[in-house]
C-alpha cells in the first residue's frame, strides 16, 4: 500500500508533464500551418478567349462549372456573347496551362479551344443580390 501511495503521485506528475509538452508542440505546429496557408495563396486573374462555344447554357455554363470545380480556382465567369471568360486562381495550386487544359477537355475535348490567355490586374465580381 505504501508503494502505491508513492507511485500514484509520481505517475500523475509524469502524465501531467507529458500532456503539457504535447499541447505546446501542437500549438506551434498549428500556427505554422496557418502561417503557411496565409503566405501560400497567390491570386492571379486572367481573361481567356474561348473558341467553339455555340450557346450560353450548354457551353459557357458547362465550362464555368468545370473551372469552379478545379482546386485553386476562386472565381470563374464564362460569357458566350464575348467568347471569353475571366478566372481568378491561386497560382500555387493551378497554372494557366492547367486552366486551358480544363477548358479544352470539357465535353470530350473535341469542341472547345483556348485562343489566348491574357493576365489582367483585377476582375469585377458582380453581386449576387440582384
Amino acid at each position: 500500500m505504501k508503494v502505491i501511495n508513492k507511485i500514484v503521485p509520481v505517475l500523475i506528475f509524469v502524465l501531467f508533464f507529458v500532456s503539457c509538452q504535447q499541447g505546446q508542440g501542437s500549438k506551434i505546429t498549428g500556427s505554422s500551418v496557418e502561417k503557411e496557408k496565409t503566405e501560400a495563396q497567390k491570386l492571379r486573374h486572367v481573361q481567356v478567349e474561348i473558341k467553339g462555344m455555340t450557346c450560353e447554357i450548354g457551353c459557357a455554363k458547362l465550362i464555368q462549372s468545370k473551372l469552379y470545380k478545379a482546386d485553386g480556382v476562386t472565381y470563374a465567369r464564362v460569357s458566350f456573347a464575348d467568347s471569353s471568360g475571366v478566372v481568378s486562381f491561386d497560382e500555387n495550386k493551378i497554372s494557366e496551362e492547367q486552366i486551358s487544359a480544363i477548358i479544352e477537355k470539357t465535353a470530350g475535348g473535341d469542341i472547345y479551344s483556348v485562343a489566348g490567355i491574357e493576365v489582367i490586374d483585377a476582375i469585377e465580381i458582380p453581386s449576387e443580390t440582384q
Side-chain angles (χ1 to χ4, degrees):
M1 187 73 162
K2 290 182 182 181
V3 174
I4 293 176
N5 287 339
K6 291 180 181 179
I7 292 176
V8 169
V10 172
L11 287 175
I12 291 173
F13 176 74
V14 169
L15 288 173
F16 178 75
F17 182 74
V18 169
S19 67
C20 288
Q21 291 297 325
Q22 289 177 350
Q24 290 174 350
S26 52
K27 285 182 185 175
I28 292 169
T29 304
S31 65
S32 298
V33 170
E34 288 177 20
K35 185 177 179 181
E36 287 178 19
K37 285 182 182 178
T38 304
E39 293 175 1
Q41 191 174 29
K42 188 174 179 184
L43 288 180
R44 186 173 198 162
H45 314 287
V46 293
Q47 182 163 1
V48 184
E49 185 180 346
I50 304 168
K51 300 291 183 186
M53 291 191 291
T54 59
C55 64
E56 181 69 33
I57 295 175
C59 297
K61 297 301 178 193
L62 177 63
I63 294 169
Q64 183 173 301
S65 173
K66 296 287 185 180
L67 288 169
Y68 260 120
K69 291 178 183 177
D71 186 33
V73 173
T74 58
Y75 179 77
R77 184 183 69 218
V78 178
S79 170
F80 166 70
D82 299 334
S83 296
S84 68
V86 290
V87 182
S88 181
F89 62 97
D90 181 353
E91 68 179 340
N92 292 324
K93 293 184 178 181
I94 191 168
S95 67
E96 292 176 21
E97 292 80 16
Q98 290 170 313
I99 289 172
S100 293
I102 290 169
I103 294 168
E104 291 176 350
K105 288 180 184 176
T106 301
D110 297 330
I111 300 173
Y112 311 114
S113 64
V114 175
I117 294 183
E118 178 183 341
V119 176
I120 55 178
D121 293 331
I123 58 173
E124 185 177 321
I125 299 174
S127 64
E128 299 293 329
T129 59
Q130 295 178 355

